[in-house]
Amino acid sequence: MPPAPLSQKEIEDRLAELPGWSLDGDRIARSYQLGSHFAAAVLVVHIAQVQDELDHHSDLTLGYHTVFLTVNTHSVGGAVTELDFDLARRVEELAAGHGAH
């Protein structure tokens, strides 16, 4: 059974628990700053590992010292679901360990 899309209120409540994350159209999004391009690339690889574990993938953009990701659930027409917030919480844990802000 596919996950259910979250209401606007549910999305806002969950975003309040994830500083730095915001709603960007039909996705939740976050940008991270790191100390170097290599550090940013390593974070991208670790995010990809978590995405494979969860079988839930986001769009990732690697910049010079930045990582930007946007997340929604394609299987429910691109809506935001609890799966997106599960991934966001895991990414937050990873990013802290990489010194991202």
Side-chain angles (χ1 to χ4, degrees), residues 18 32 46-47 49-51 53-54 84-96:
L18 287 169
Y32 294 97
H46 286 160
I47 292 171
Q49 288 174 325
V50 168
Q51 290 174 341
E53 285 174 27
L54 296 175
D84 304 314
F85 284 97
D86 291 345
L87 177 58
R89 285 187 284 274
R90 292 282 303 275
V91 169
E92 279 297 299
E93 293 169 7
L94 277 178

Side-chain angles (χ1 to χ4, degrees), residues 20-84:
W21 285 84
S22 62
L23 189 60
D24 183 11
D26 63 348
R27 301 165 177 259
I28 59 172
R30 173 80 152 94
S31 178
Y32 294 97
Q33 299 293 316
L34 291 103
S36 69
H37 179 71
F38 184 78
V42 171
L43 178 58
V44 166
V45 170
H46 286 160
I47 292 171
Q49 288 174 325
V50 168
Q51 290 174 341
D52 280 351
E53 285 174 27
L54 296 175
D55 193 26
H56 189 58
H57 302 84
S58 68
D59 290 332
L60 281 168
T61 303
L62 172 62
Y64 181 58
H65 287 195
T66 62
V67 174
F68 181 71
L69 71 151
T70 59
V71 188
N72 65 2
T73 303
H74 302 286
S75 63
V76 293
V80 175
T81 70
E82 194 59 45
L83 286 176
D84 304 314

